[in-house]
Amino acid sequence: MKFDHIHFYVEDAEASRNWFIEKLGFRGVGQAVTEGCHTEAIANGPVYILLSSPRESRSPVAKFLAHHPPGVADVAFRVADADGAVDRAIAGGAKLLEPLQHREFAIGTLRWATISGWGDLRHSLVEVKGIPSDSRLLLHCPNPVRQAPSPLQLTAIDHVVLNVDGGDLETALKWYERVLGLQPQQTFNIQTDRSGLQSRVMVHPDGETQFPINQPASETSQIQEFLDVNRGSGIQHIALRSDNIIHAIRSLKGRNLPFLSVPQTYYEQMQEKGGDRRLRGDWDEIRELQILADWQDPTSEAMLLQIFTRPIFSQPTFFFELIERRVDARGFGEGNFQALFEAIEREQLQRK
C-alpha cells in the first residue's frame, strides 16, 4: 500500500489551484464541475492533489467546511486488491462511505471505495490496473488538461501526519492497525519549556506508507492549538520528497513561499557536531536557505534534509514539509524535532 493522492476541501478550488501552481510549482491536470462541487486536479511529478469547493450547501464539502477550516478531507491509498482492503477495513471498524465502484477505460480499469478515517477524515482505497500513474485521477476528472511538466520536480509523498486529541493516541494506533494494517514503529516524545507532544509512526509492511500520529502533551502545545482551531483531529502536515532540496527550496523561495525561520544558533550547534564537514560544498546553501539536517550514524553518508512552510491557509492548521533523503536516510529528522517544535512555538506566540 502507498499514498495515491490527497484531497483537500477548500473554499475556492480555482483560487487554491492557482496558489499551488504559483507557490509550489504544481500544474493543473484536470477539472470537474458537478451539481455539488467544483474539483480541480493538480500534479507535480507523481504527487497528485484534488481541490474541491462547494457549489451547494448540501454537498459533503460544504458540510466539512461548516465544521472545519480548509484542509485535508481524504488521504487516498493505492491498494493491490480493493475488495480485500474494503473487507478488512469494515471488519476493523471503519464505515463504508462510498461503495466499491469501477470505471473502464481503453487503457485499463480503476476500482475504488471510500471508508471513514479517524474523526472526520476519509480514506479512498484505489486499485489501478493498466493505467499509467499520470492518468490515475481520471476517476475524478475524466477530461484531463495537458500542461508542460513543472520545473520543480517532486518525487513522492514521503509521509502524512495526523493529530488526534490528547489521550486518543493509543486508540488511534490500534484503529489504523485493524483497519488498514499499519504497524507501529518509532516513538517520539518532545518537550520544551512551554509544551510538548507524543508521536508514534505507523507504517505499512508491504508498501511505502508512513503515517505518524501525534497527540498533545500539554494544553499549550502547538498540537493542541491545531486541534482547537481545526475543531477536532485532522491532518497537520504532508511531507513532499525531492531529490534536490537545495534547488527546490531556492525555487520555492523565489516564488515567495513562506517558510518557518530557523535561528542561526541551530547552525552553530550543527557545525559543532561536524555538520559543515558532512555537508561539504552544500553547507553554505543549507545555512543560507535555513534547511534542517539530521543524521543518525556518524559513519554513514545517510542524511535527512528538511524544511517546513508556514500554514498555507488563513488559520494556523495545515502546512507542508519538503524533505530529501540522501543515501536512503530513514527516520523523520529526530535530531531536528526540538528545533522544529520551538520554531512552530515562536510562530504560535506571535499569534497570541
Side-chain angles (χ1 to χ4, degrees):
M1 187 171 76
K2 62 181 180 180
F3 295 113
D4 187 81
H5 66 272
I6 305 295
H7 198 159
F8 286 84
Y9 285 176
V10 297
E11 294 168 348
D12 185 332
E14 188 173 351
S16 291
R17 176 205 64 194
N18 292 342
W19 184 92
F20 272 87
I21 291 172
E22 177 185 348
K23 299 296 185 183
L24 271 172
F26 277 72
R27 59 189 177 96
V29 294
Q31 62 176 218
V33 178
T34 64
E35 189 173 316
C37 68
H38 174 185
T39 297
E40 295 281 347
I42 58 175
N44 186 313
V47 177
Y48 279 75
I49 289 176
L50 295 173
L51 305 160
S52 291
S53 57
R55 288 171 52 85
E56 60 176 39
S57 59
R58 294 175 298 174
S59 74
V61 182
K63 292 177 181 177
F64 178 92
L65 294 176
H67 291 90
H68 305 285
V72 175
D74 188 335
V75 176
F77 296 102
R78 177 78 63 86
V79 298
D81 174 13
D83 294 281
V86 169
D87 288 345
R88 173 173 186 150
I90 294 173
K95 296 178 181 178
L96 184 64
L97 301 180
E98 295 179 9
L100 196 62
Q101 304 170 65
H102 76 277
R103 188 171 293 169
E104 300 283 345
F105 299 93
I107 55 176
T109 61
L110 287 168
R111 304 179 72 239
W112 74 95
T114 304
I115 62 168
S116 62
W118 190 262
D120 289 339
L121 189 61
R122 299 155 62 97
H123 296 300
S124 291
L125 306 175
V126 184
E127 176 189 322
V128 181
K129 290 187 177 177
I131 296 178
S133 294
D134 61 357
S135 300
R136 69 175 180 265
L137 289 183
L138 288 168
L139 69 111
H140 291 282
C141 298
N143 299 309
V145 176
R146 297 298 178 190
Q147 293 189 5
S150 168
L152 171 65
Q153 198 68 247
L154 300 174
T155 60
I157 296 173
D158 188 88
H159 60 273
V160 176
V161 178
L162 170 66
N163 285 352
V164 302
D165 288 323
D168 281 353
L169 179 59
E170 288 301 320
T171 306
L173 296 174
K174 292 176 181 177
W175 192 89
Y176 275 101
E177 188 170 4
R178 293 195 311 271
V179 170
L180 292 179
L182 301 181
Q183 301 294 319
Q185 282 199 341
Q186 295 156 286
T187 299
F188 305 106
N189 294 300
I190 307 300
Q191 193 71 41
T192 70
D193 292 338
R194 187 172 182 273
S195 65
L197 70 81
Q198 297 170 335
S199 181
R200 193 75 182 269
V201 179
M202 302 291 284
V203 302
H204 196 276
D206 299 321
E208 303 168 10
T209 301
Q210 300 184 99
F211 196 66
I213 304 178
N214 300 333
Q215 72 174 4
S218 72
E219 294 182 358
T220 55
S221 169
Q222 49 95 359
I223 304 299
Q224 186 60 53
E225 180 189 41
F226 169 93
L227 295 166
D228 292 341
V229 176
N230 194 60
R231 296 193 287 278
S233 61
I235 300 301
Q236 183 197 35
H237 83 265
I238 293 171
L240 305 174
R241 197 185 308 164
S242 170
D243 284 342
N244 188 336
I245 197 170
I246 292 175
H247 169 76
I249 300 310
R250 194 168 293 285
S251 174
L252 293 174
K253 289 195 171 187
R255 295 168 180 264
N256 295 317
L257 181 66
F259 290 91
L260 289 178
S261 60
V262 180
Q264 285 304 306
T265 52
Y266 169 83
Y267 297 98
E268 292 167 7
Q269 294 169 359
M270 188 163 67
Q271 193 166 8
E272 290 175 0
K273 296 189 298 181
D276 56 337
R277 295 189 298 276
R278 291 183 64 92
L279 287 161
R280 300 187 182 91
D282 290 334
W283 169 250
D284 289 339
E285 288 185 286
I286 293 291
R287 186 167 182 163
E288 174 201 347
L289 296 171
Q290 296 190 311
I291 295 170
L292 303 173
D294 185 50
W295 59 92
Q296 303 300 311
D297 184 351
T299 66
S300 169
E301 292 295 313
M303 177 173 289
L304 184 147
L305 304 174
Q306 60 192 153
I307 191 171
F308 300 82
T309 72
R310 290 192 171 95
I312 70 169
F313 299 113
S314 59
Q315 294 176 288
T317 50
F318 180 85
F319 59 89
F320 279 111
E321 172 184 353
L322 277 295
I323 188 169
E324 178 185 347
R325 296 183 181 275
R326 294 188 174 179
V327 197
D328 297 323
R330 300 189 179 278
F332 298 88
E334 294 89 313
N336 293 326
F337 275 18
Q338 194 79 15
L340 166 64
F341 206 73
E342 290 171 353
I344 294 176
E345 282 189 346
R346 287 193 296 273
E347 297 279 325
Q348 183 183 14
L349 289 170
Q350 291 176 10
R351 293 191 287 268
K352 299 299 183 182

